[in-house]
């Protein structure tokens, strides 16, 4: 994504050699272990943080966290929700929800999964002293502030109450009919008691309750997962384990898929985008996708604040980008120019958002908007666009975007690359980056709300540009409390209209779901998050 998961997203050192030595077996079986077990070797990137669910909001860590944990609900391939650890999640008013757990769930250390496993984990995630990236996901619960942190003067969220070992209640601030649908996201995963003794150490070797368990995390090399023999949920593995091999060069990953060293890769590098579907050495998979790409321009940048000048300049930059040209020439049509801040695949998507024409290329209007901003205050210096160069296609599209802005606005614009995603995200998280930067979003659950609330809500964990607008926040509240889909869609459309005017991030395009697999790899299904269903992959 960023994010998972944020912009739920993904140089060249001697990565080819690294990738080869990181794979088990040392032959064409890729991740097969010595005793013949079917271990799937998958493309990955080094996680940003220790693997604590409430502090994991990017794809590198998200792949692993989603594989080793199980939540109250799980998502099917099409994004529909199914009860998993929960037996039921019920409410008469959409405010107070009673969660009843299935009996018999255990963590990988044989300790039971109880109501406290969820309530304690959520309180940990909402504790401001713990500074968790996904705290925002608790902001709907009574006792949390806008940022999702526990209100001053309290130690826990007042809206969480344990009834017994298998039952707890959640009281929300406002009605939210879709609350159960949110609960498959990693921020809501349970934690065992031992986690709270040393959370950083726990994150290096998590004890979990999902389809897989983490056996080894070899930093900057790989993560090895084996199946959990006690798992009885909805995602029963068809294989015997997963190894996520960390790459910093997507071309090296593609070469390893061609040779059978790597079994599956969840992206296609630009060098192969025009040919991969005809490559006889791989199996190509494509579907319409839900992941979007954006450019965030922090309001802290000179001349890009939350005032008239900043609005004019953001609109000018947006109008100066020819999305159709870039998606056609660089991505060979595997991207679709954005028409909103989400994806047309979402059930509450709207085609009629006021102000959405700001996403349409018009060099003449872009120049006029920039000139209006110049009358307020002259722009000096260079506009830089930062990105991680280990993500497939990032270098190519960033260079194309900066070239277009430079030519159409006649200003100095330059790419600013970082070698790894982890380094790049760390600077953003710590607010140590003083440029515009690439962002994007892989949805956590299928709704437009999930694309905009965690990313642009005041104080949200994935709000990398620190955007804040009271009218936008109010529209989010209206959307969350809507009793029917029509009312909900209207509120979300109103919220997006505000975003179109302010442009805290500039939507670029939606990415098709693309994956490649080695010959002989079967069971590849791409889900609503543009990701392979790794537990179904066999060979």
């Amino acid at each position: 994504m960023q994010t998972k998961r944020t912009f739920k997203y993904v140089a060249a050192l001697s990565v080819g050699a690294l990738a080869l030595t990181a794979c088990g077996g040392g032959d064409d079986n890729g991740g097969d272990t010595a005793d013949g077990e079917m271990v799937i070797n998958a493309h990955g990137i080094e996680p940003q943080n220790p693997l604590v669910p409430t502090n994991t909001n990017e794809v590198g860590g998200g792949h692993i966290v989603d594989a080793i944990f199980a939540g109250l609900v799980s998502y099917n391939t099409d994004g529909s929700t199914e009860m998993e650890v929960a037996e039921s999640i019920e409410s008469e008013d959409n405010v107070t929800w009673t969660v009843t757990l299935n009996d018999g769930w255990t963590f990988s250390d044989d300790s039971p999964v109880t109501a406290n496993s969820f309530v304690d984990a959520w309180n940990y995630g909402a504790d401001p002293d713990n500074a968790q990236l996904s705290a925002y996901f608790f902001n709907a619960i009574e006792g949390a502030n806008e940022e999702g942190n526990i209100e001053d003067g309290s130690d826990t969220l007042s809206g969480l109450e344990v009834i017994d070992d298998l039952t707890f209640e959640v009281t929300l601030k406002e009605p939210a009919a879709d609350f159960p649908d949110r609960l498959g996201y990693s921020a809501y995963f349970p934690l065992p008691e031992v986690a709270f003794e040393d959370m950083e150490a726990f994150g290096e070797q998590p004890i979990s309750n999902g389809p897989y368990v983490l056996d080894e995390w070899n930093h900057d090399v790989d993560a090895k997962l084996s199946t959990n023999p006690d798992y009885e949920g909805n995602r029963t593995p068809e294989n015997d384990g997963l190894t996520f091999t960390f790459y910093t060069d997507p071309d090296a990953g593609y070469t390893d898929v061609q040779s059978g060293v790597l079994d599956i890769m969840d992206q296609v590098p630009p060098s192969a985008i025009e040919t991969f579907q005809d490559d006889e050495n791989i199996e190509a998979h494509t579907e319409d996708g839900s992941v979007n790409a954006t450019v965030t321009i922090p309001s802290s940048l000179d001349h890009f604040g939350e005032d008239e000048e900043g609005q004019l300049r953001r609109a000018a930059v947006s109008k100066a980008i020819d999305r159709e040209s870039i998606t056609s020439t660089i991505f060979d049509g595997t991207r679709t120019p954005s028409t909103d801040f989400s994806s047309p695949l979402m059930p509450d998507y709207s085609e009629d958002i006021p102000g959405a024409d700001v996403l349409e290329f018009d060099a003449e209007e872009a120049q006029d908007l920039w000139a209006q901003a110049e009358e307020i205050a002259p722009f000096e210096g260079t506009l830089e666009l930062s990105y991680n160069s280990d993500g497939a296609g990032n270098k190519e599209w960033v260079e194309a975007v900066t070239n277009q802005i430079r030519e159409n606005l006649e200003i100095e614009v330059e790419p600013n690359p970082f070698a790894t995603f982890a380094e790049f995200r760390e600077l953003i998280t710590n607010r140590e980056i003083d440029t515009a930067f690439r962002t994007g979003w892989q949805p956590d659950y299928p709704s437009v709300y999930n694309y905009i609330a965690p990313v642009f809500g005041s104080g949200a964990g994935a709000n990398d540009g620190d955007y804040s607008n009271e009218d936008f926040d109010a529209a989010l509240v209206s959307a969350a409390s809507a009793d029917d889909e029509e009312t909900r869609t209207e509120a979300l459309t109103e919220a997006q209209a505000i975003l179109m005017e302010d442009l805290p991030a500039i939507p670029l395009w939606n990415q098709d779901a693309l994956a490649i697999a080695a010959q002989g790899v079967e069971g590849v299904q791409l889900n609503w998050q543009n990701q392979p269903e790794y537990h179904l992959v066999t060979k």
Side-chain angles (χ1 to χ4, degrees):
M1 291 170 169
Q2 301 170 16
T3 338
K4 194 176 134 281
R5 4 175 47 359
T6 269
F7 287 85
K8 292 175 190 166
Y9 307 87
V10 300
L13 306 172
S14 55
V15 178
L18 169 65
L20 290 170
T21 58
C23 301
D27 56 21
D28 288 343
N29 291 325
D32 286 0
T33 60
D35 58 6
E37 289 185 335
M38 187 200 302
V39 177
I40 301 301
N41 192 16
H43 176 276
I45 56 177
E46 172 72 11
Q48 178 186 359
N49 297 310
L51 301 171
V52 177
T54 50
N55 208 37
T56 300
N57 70 345
E58 41 76 33
V59 171
H63 280 157
I64 303 169
V65 167
D66 287 344
I68 65 176
F69 282 94
L72 294 169
V73 304
S74 64
Y75 300 116
N76 296 318
T77 301
D78 63 1
S80 57
T81 301
E82 190 172 359
M83 294 292 157
E84 188 160 36
V85 179
E87 178 182 280
S88 63
I89 305 172
E90 299 176 327
S91 178
E92 296 181 355
D93 57 7
N94 292 336
V95 174
T96 300
W97 294 86
T98 300
V99 179
T100 303
L101 307 183
N102 282 301
D103 196 5
W105 277 83
T106 61
F107 290 102
S108 50
D109 65 350
D110 293 327
S111 63
V113 177
T114 67
N116 279 109
S117 305
F118 288 94
V119 170
D120 291 347
W122 297 9
N123 278 320
Y124 178 87
D127 188 336
D129 291 340
N130 298 326
Q132 299 293 281
L133 293 174
S134 294
Y136 180 80
F137 284 87
F138 305 112
N139 77 338
I141 299 174
E142 193 69 46
N145 59 22
E146 282 188 346
E147 290 77 21
N149 290 315
I150 297 169
E151 293 177 335
D152 292 342
S154 299
D155 296 325
T156 58
L157 293 168
S158 59
L160 297 179
E161 181 182 0
V162 173
I163 306 302
D164 57 42
D165 281 351
L166 297 178
T167 313
F168 66 99
E169 283 189 352
V170 184
T171 302
L172 306 180
K173 301 173 188 175
E174 305 282 348
D178 71 337
F179 183 67
D181 293 334
R182 307 178 190 181
L183 300 178
Y185 178 52
S186 57
Y188 302 107
F189 287 166
L191 292 174
E193 288 185 16
V194 68
F196 303 99
E197 297 175 5
D198 186 339
M199 194 62 74
E200 184 172 354
F202 175 84
E204 293 292 326
Q205 188 67 55
I207 293 166
S208 56
N209 67 322
Y212 298 90
V213 295
L214 178 65
D215 294 329
E216 297 179 30
W217 178 6
N218 303 299
H219 286 281
D220 299 312
V221 178
D222 63 20
K224 299 180 184 297
L225 285 62
S226 60
T227 55
N228 179 1
D230 297 323
Y231 175 78
E232 296 182 355
N234 305 324
R235 299 171 290 150
T236 301
E238 297 291 331
N239 49 59
D240 297 313
L242 304 171
T243 294
F244 287 103
T245 301
F246 304 145
Y247 288 79
T248 58
D249 180 6
D251 286 312
Y254 189 89
T255 299
D256 283 352
V257 175
Q258 290 178 310
S259 66
V261 171
L262 187 65
D263 293 318
I264 187 167
M265 184 173 180
D266 61 344
Q267 54 184 281
V268 177
S271 60
I273 203 72
E274 295 183 8
T275 59
F276 80 100
Q277 296 190 65
D278 299 317
D279 189 337
E280 295 181 353
N281 295 312
I282 64 166
E283 298 289 340
H285 301 269
T286 65
E287 300 282 351
D288 290 339
S290 59
V291 171
N292 71 10
T294 54
V295 170
T296 293
I297 307 180
S299 57
S300 59
L301 288 189
D302 288 343
H303 302 285
F304 286 93
E306 295 177 0
D307 54 10
E308 183 183 3
E309 181 195 358
Q311 286 183 337
L312 287 167
R313 293 198 190 280
R314 292 166 194 275
V317 170
S318 180
K319 300 287 285 187
I321 300 171
D322 187 349
R323 297 161 177 80
E324 197 73 51
S325 171
I326 294 175
T327 56
S328 174
T329 57
I330 291 181
F331 295 114
D332 196 40
T334 59
R335 308 289 191 274
T336 304
S338 292
T339 56
D340 79 333
F341 284 82
S342 70
S343 160
L345 298 183
M346 295 301 105
D348 39 17
Y349 168 81
S350 173
E351 295 181 348
D352 302 312
I353 299 172
D357 59 339
V358 75
L359 306 183
E360 298 172 5
F361 173 59
D362 188 328
E364 185 176 342
E365 186 176 356
Q367 292 171 6
D368 180 61
L369 291 165
W370 191 265
Q372 292 179 48
E374 287 291 284
E375 293 178 2
I376 298 173
F379 179 83
E380 298 177 354
T382 300
L383 177 63
E384 293 183 292
L385 176 51
S386 297
Y387 67 98
N388 57 299
S389 57
D390 60 346
N394 288 345
K395 178 179 185 293
E396 290 80 0
W397 76 253
V398 169
E399 289 181 351
V401 165
T402 52
N403 286 338
Q404 288 182 351
I405 298 171
R406 182 187 307 111
E407 293 173 5
N408 293 323
L409 295 183
E410 298 180 351
I411 62 173
E412 292 298 318
V413 188
E414 296 294 338
N416 184 40
F418 290 88
T420 67
F421 181 77
E423 175 191 10
F424 174 62
R425 284 302 309 174
E426 194 69 16
L427 291 172
I428 294 171
T429 299
N430 294 335
R431 301 301 188 263
E432 294 174 353
I433 197 164
D434 56 358
T435 69
F437 49 89
R438 69 158 288 269
T439 41
W441 193 250
Q442 173 186 296
D444 307 305
Y445 58 92
S447 171
V448 170
Y449 184 90
N450 181 248
Y451 282 83
I452 61 177
V455 181
F456 304 115
S458 296
N463 188 344
D464 294 327
D466 296 321
Y467 173 71
S468 181
N469 184 306
E470 291 182 358
D471 293 335
F472 173 76
D473 292 339
L476 290 180
V477 171
S478 297
S481 59
D483 288 327
D484 60 86
E485 188 165 321
E486 182 178 354
T487 303
R488 176 184 176 82
T489 301
E490 288 176 357
L492 290 171
T493 299
E494 177 186 347
Q496 289 214 69
I498 296 170
L499 294 180
M500 291 297 178
E501 182 175 356
D502 293 346
L503 286 179
I506 297 174
L508 298 176
W509 43 75
N510 291 101
Q511 176 179 326
D512 285 0
L514 305 176
I516 56 172
Q519 291 181 340
V521 173
E522 300 178 347
V524 178
Q525 295 186 31
L526 301 180
N527 65 23
W528 59 281
Q529 291 180 301
N530 284 25
Q531 294 298 307
E533 296 279 28
Y534 291 105
H535 67 284
L536 299 179
V537 179
T538 61
K539 62 181 178 181

